[in-house]
Amino acid sequence: MDTMDTSVYLAREAKIPQGETRTRFAPSPTGYMHVGGLRTALYAYLIARRDGGKFLLRIEDTDRERYVGGAIQIIYDTLRGAGLRYDEGPDVGGPAGPYVQSERRGLYKEYADLLVSLGHAYPCFCSREEADAPANEGAPANEGAPANEGAPANEGAPANEGDPANEGAPANEGAPANEGAPANEGAPANEGASANEPISVSASPASSFRGYDGRCAALPPEEAARRVADGEPYVIRQRMPREGASSFDDVVFGRISVDNRELEDNILLKSDGLPTYNFANVVDDHLMGITHVVRGTEYLTSTPKYNLLYDAFGWDKPRYIHVAPVMRDATHKLSKRHGDPTYDDLLQSGHLPEAILSYVALLGWSPGGEKEMFTLRELEEAFTLEGLSKSPAIFDGGKLVWLNGQFLRALPPEEFHSKALPWIRQAVSREDIDTRALAALLHHRTGLLSEIPPQLDFIDKLPDYDLALYTHKKSKVTPESCLKALRDALPLLEALEDWTQEAIHDALGGLVAQLGVKAGQVLWPIRVAVSGKSSTPGGGVELCAVLRRAESLQRLELGIARLARLGDLGEPGELGELGDHPKL
C-alpha cells in the first residue's frame, strides 16, 4: 500500500494528556448497573483519586443490537448517585473527547489503515463460509466472519468490562466460554505458582485451538489494495505472531504468558466500518491517555492481543489490574437473568449508596484490620492496589443488609428522617402524625429503608387483629389481665392534660407501681390495643404519643370492648385457647 501521511496521527499524539494517573470506566448502554460493573467503576475511581489523577467515563455504544434507549442517562445518574464523580465524560467534556465511541467511528478506520501500512494488519476478503471452511473446523462459530454478517459489533469482547451490558441477555451472549465454571473461573490456570514464574493462560477454549487460518495474510499488498479499491467487502485482521509467547505484568496476578500459537488473527474493523471491541478499546485508551486499566479476569487471555496492538503502534502500555469475579456462590457468577440484584435494585429495596459502595469495595479488596464501614472519602484514603485479591468474592446479601443497618444507625437524626420520610409516607398519609417522632422510633430498628412501611401499617387504620395477641408468656399476660390493665389505664390517660410521651410514661408508670405488677403487664396490652401488632417501632407509651389523644383513646376503648365480649364467651380461667373463639 502507498506510504501514509502520518502527520494527523502525530498531531493527535501531541494532544494526549500526560503526567498524571488517568483511569476510565467504559460501560455499554445496555441496562442497569450490576454489582461487578459498579465495583470496576469504584476501583478505577479510587486509583485516580489516590494519585490525584483523573477518572473518565467513556460510553462504548458501537454494539447497536444491544443498545437500550435511556441507558446512557442511567449510567450518568448511577455514577453521580453513588458519588463517583468523573472528571471527563460525554456530558462534562474534557481534552480527550468525544467520549462516546459511536462519535469516534472515523478514528478506528484511520488507525486500522495505519496498522495495514505498518504490516501488522491486513484486509481479509474471506466470506463467513470460507473463514469457517474445513481447514478451520473447530473454530468458534462466526469467528472470522466478515464484518457485520451476523456478528455483534463488540465481537471478541468477554462478558462485560465493567458495564451493565449482559443483564438480561440470552444465556451466554458475549460471555466467556467457561461462564458458570467453578469459583476461580477466568483466573490463571496455575495460580499460586512461584512469584517469579510467569503464569500461563490459554487464549482459546481448547488446547488444540484452530481458528481462521490466515489465508488472506499471504496476499500481496498490491492485490489487497486493488480489491479494496474495487469495492470488494473486507474486514481488517490483526497479524499475529506464530512463534514464541506474549507476556505482560498484571498488578494482581503478576507475570502472565500466552502461547502465540493460540492467538488467532482476530478482526479489528468490520466491513461496515465499525470496530470490534478489542480494537476500539486499545485506540481509545491510548488517545485518552489511560494509564491504569481495571477489568475482570475474563480479559486476561485477551490482553496479549491488546499489547501486540500497542507494540505495533509503538505506544506505551497501561498498567493492568485484573480483578477476580463477584460470585453468587462458589460456582456461579452474579447475573441479573438469574435474579441477582443490580445497583438500582439495591437502591429500590432501601439500601444506602454509601453502604453499597462500602460493601462492594470489600468484594475483592482488603484494607487490613477489622474495619468494615467506609465512607467514600475514607475509601479514597485507604485504597491500595496491594490489597486486591486473586480470589473470587461471594456476594452476601445478608451481610450487606447488616452493613446498611450500621450506616443507617450512624446517620444524624435529621438526616435519617430525610431518608426515611419517603418510605414513611408509603404507609402513613395522616398529616397530624409527627414523622420526626416516627423516625426516632425507627432509627435503630431499621436494616433497610424498605422495612419501614410494613412497620407502620397500623398508623392510618387499626388492623383487624387476632385477640390471641393478648396472650404473651414473656410478659405474663392473659386476656383477663389485659382487660383489667386496659380498664385501669383508660381513665388515667383520659385525665391527662398534656398528651406528651413524658406525661403518658409517668401516668402508666404510676399505674404499674400502684398495681404492683411488672411494666409489661400494663404496657403489652396497650401496645396491642393501639397497634394490633406484636412487634412495633416503640412500645405502648411511644405509640400513644405518636397516634395522639383521640385516636389512642378510641383504640383502647375498642380493645376493652373486644376483650369484654370475649369474656362473655367463657368464665375467666375457662376461656381455653383463644384460637377457639372467633375474631371479635
Side-chain angles (χ1 to χ4, degrees):
M1 292 200 174
D2 295 335
T3 302
M4 297 186 66
D5 178 5
T6 60
S7 60
V8 64
Y9 304 102
L10 295 175
R12 290 194 190 111
E13 292 293 312
K15 294 180 180 179
I16 296 174
Q18 303 286 339
E20 63 181 357
T21 294
R22 292 173 64 83
T23 66
R24 49 72 169 170
F25 178 52
S28 297
T30 55
Y32 288 97
M33 184 86 68
H34 58 80
V35 171
L38 180 64
R39 186 186 64 169
T40 299
L42 175 60
Y43 287 173
Y45 170 89
L46 294 176
I47 291 169
R49 292 292 174 262
R50 177 202 64 178
D51 294 346
K54 297 292 192 301
F55 172 58
L56 285 64
L57 172 65
R58 182 173 73 227
I59 303 297
E60 301 194 338
D61 66 339
T62 54
D63 187 349
R64 305 307 294 180
E65 293 182 4
R66 292 166 59 203
Y67 178 84
V68 174
I72 292 179
Q73 188 62 48
I74 290 174
I75 294 169
Y76 296 158
D77 293 344
T78 297
L79 293 178
R80 290 191 177 119
L84 303 183
R85 179 181 55 82
Y86 43 95
D87 303 288
E88 300 173 27
D91 58 334
V92 298
Y99 296 90
V100 178
Q101 271 189 347
S102 60
E103 298 174 14
R104 302 169 64 83
R105 178 170 177 164
L107 287 172
Y108 308 122
K109 176 68 164 61
E110 292 179 19
Y111 281 91
D113 287 344
L114 177 59
L115 275 184
V116 173
S117 176
L118 295 171
H120 296 291
Y122 59 89
C124 173
F125 305 92
C126 295
S127 66
R128 183 193 306 180
E129 291 73 18
E130 290 170 326
D132 292 337
N136 299 300
E137 185 177 346
N142 293 350
E143 182 77 36
N148 237 3
E149 296 182 29
N154 280 359
E155 175 193 340
N160 302 316
E161 183 175 347
D163 70 29
N166 275 1
E167 301 295 347
N172 284 330
E173 181 183 331
N178 58 343
E179 180 171 346
N184 62 348
E185 171 205 342
N190 55 345
E191 180 182 331
S194 169
N196 296 322
E197 181 180 342
I199 297 174
S200 297
V201 294
S202 175
S204 62
S207 58
S208 57
F209 176 80
R210 289 175 293 165
Y212 174 67
D213 61 8
R215 64 187 70 178
C216 287
L219 289 175
E222 297 77 12
E223 179 183 345
R226 176 185 56 77
R227 294 173 69 173
V228 169
D230 289 344
E232 187 174 344
Y234 70 97
V235 298
I236 293 181
R237 289 183 179 273
Q238 184 176 2
R239 192 186 300 273
M240 296 295 187
R242 301 304 179 196
E243 298 178 351
S246 295
S247 301
F248 68 96
D249 292 312
D250 180 73
V251 168
V252 179
F253 290 95
R255 190 73 172 167
I256 304 293
S257 181
V258 172
D259 190 329
N260 287 336
R261 290 174 298 179
E262 296 187 1
L263 302 179
E264 185 185 2
D265 289 3
N266 55 286
I267 297 173
L268 303 178
L269 199 75
K270 304 170 79 172
S271 62
D272 61 0
L274 284 172
T276 58
Y277 170 86
N278 291 334
F279 186 51
N281 190 268
V282 168
V283 171
D284 289 343
D285 280 350
H286 175 70
L287 294 180
M288 293 183 181
I290 301 303
T291 60
H292 296 67
V293 171
V294 183
R295 56 191 177 209
T297 52
E298 63 266 33
Y299 285 83
L300 281 170
T301 56
S302 299
T303 301
K305 301 176 185 179
Y306 304 158
N307 282 348
L308 287 168
L309 288 173
Y310 280 104
D311 290 340
F313 284 120
W315 295 341
D316 291 335
K317 304 178 186 70
R319 293 189 72 187
Y320 295 111
I321 302 103
H322 288 87
V323 290
V326 180
M327 312 292 287
R328 176 197 308 133
D329 53 39
T331 57
H332 299 92
K333 275 186 175 182
L334 283 182
S335 170
K336 176 63 175 176
R337 60 178 172 266
H338 292 140
D340 297 315
T342 63
Y343 174 72
D344 190 66
D345 291 333
L346 293 173
L347 292 179
Q348 294 300 317
S349 63
H351 293 83
L352 297 176
E354 308 93 283
I356 299 172
L357 278 185
S358 182
Y359 181 70
V360 167
L362 299 178
L363 293 176
W365 170 71
S366 174
E370 301 299 321
K371 184 176 174 64
E372 294 182 284
M373 288 180 61
F374 289 88
T375 64
L376 184 56
R377 182 57 182 271
E378 289 172 334
L379 286 173
E380 291 174 14
E381 296 174 353
F383 186 80
T384 63
L385 293 174
E386 291 74 20
L388 292 172
S389 173
K390 297 179 181 180
S391 302
I394 305 295
F395 180 86
D396 184 342
K399 181 64 177 291
L400 176 55
V401 170
W402 172 84
L403 185 63
N404 196 71
Q406 301 303 305
F407 271 88
L408 286 172
R409 290 167 181 77
L411 292 175
E414 191 60 30
E415 187 174 351
F416 177 81
H417 172 258
S418 176
K419 293 183 182 298
L421 185 57
W423 299 87
I424 290 174
R425 283 303 179 198
Q426 288 184 25
V428 179
S429 61
R430 287 176 53 183
E431 293 297 333
D432 62 331
I433 296 296
D434 184 349
T435 56
R436 283 178 171 76
L438 268 182
L441 298 179
L442 294 162
H443 196 165
H444 295 283
R445 298 175 56 91
T446 304
L448 291 175
L449 292 170
S450 58
E451 296 171 356
I452 290 176
Q455 295 187 69
L456 305 180
D457 57 0
F458 66 93
I459 298 288
D460 281 0
K461 182 180 179 181
L462 182 69
D464 183 18
Y465 63 92
D466 194 327
L467 295 183
L469 291 175
Y470 285 108
T471 299
H472 192 265
K473 291 183 179 180
K474 185 176 181 180
S475 296
K476 298 182 179 179
V477 297
T478 65
E480 293 86 359
S481 69
C482 288
L483 177 58
K484 181 179 186 309
L486 292 178
R487 281 174 169 165
D488 290 338
L490 183 60
L492 288 176
L493 296 176
E494 287 175 328
L496 288 179
E497 294 183 4
D498 295 323
W499 193 264
T500 64
Q501 183 171 316
E502 183 179 2
I504 297 168
H505 176 273
D506 291 346
L508 294 178
L511 178 60
V512 168
Q514 176 186 333
L515 297 176
V517 297
K518 293 184 178 298
Q521 291 177 277
V522 172
L523 298 182
W524 179 264
I526 290 178
R527 179 206 292 256
V528 172
V530 298
S531 71
K533 298 166 70 77
S534 61
S535 177
T536 54
V541 171
E542 294 86 355
L543 298 185
C544 285
V546 167
L547 288 167
R548 305 175 72 86
R549 176 193 294 272
E551 184 70 21
S552 298
L553 296 178
Q554 181 180 2
R555 292 186 182 193
L556 291 172
E557 290 171 353
L558 178 60
I560 291 170
R562 294 184 69 190
L563 283 170
R565 185 179 173 195
L566 178 63
D568 293 340
L569 299 178
E571 294 299 321
E574 298 178 357
L575 295 180
E577 295 295 327
L578 285 177
D580 297 338
H581 300 289
K583 287 186 178 180
L584 302 173

